[in-house]
Amino acid sequence: MKLEVVVVPVADVDRAKNFYKALGWREDADFAAGADFRVVQLTPPGSACSVIFGTGVTSAVPGSAQGLHLVVTDIEAARAELADGGADVSEVFHDAGGVFHHAGTGGRVAGPAPDHKSYGSFASFSDPDGNGWLLQEITTRLPGR
């Protein structure tokens, strides 16, 4: 099984589409079937999983998707690329517990994980509706991955 699509709830489809496209995401589809249904699919660079949003696609509240992860091999470069595309990206941080980030901003320590430990460095941003994204730096995968 492969995760291929994640639905992201948005209030303004064109605003969301423009935001993600400015970040360099590839537009895969934009289909409408009347005024009550439109689906837009975009894919982050290098990803096998896409996001879908639109009109009549989900009953979830716009901005309610949180903790969506984008895995990168160089957190600083990815952060800069997103900022250049218009995203308001946090500074790089790691978690005080050193394992995984806490929900929200609790437990954040400024700067990358010590020695840029794989899985340990993060940066965050939100789309215009408040859907929350995290960059996670992974340089060496855990066994089995």
Side-chain angles (χ1 to χ4, degrees), residues 3-5 16-31 39-53 70 81-82 133:
L3 178 63
E4 189 160 324
V5 174
K17 178 179 172 178
N18 291 335
F19 174 79
Y20 288 110
K21 285 184 73 173
L23 300 182
W25 294 27
R26 182 187 71 232
E27 180 179 341
D28 301 319
D30 186 342
F31 300 112
V39 61
V40 175
Q41 179 173 318
L42 293 132
T43 303
S47 180
C49 185
S50 302
V51 297
I52 287 180
F53 51 84
L70 297 169
E81 184 178 322
L82 288 172
W133 292 88

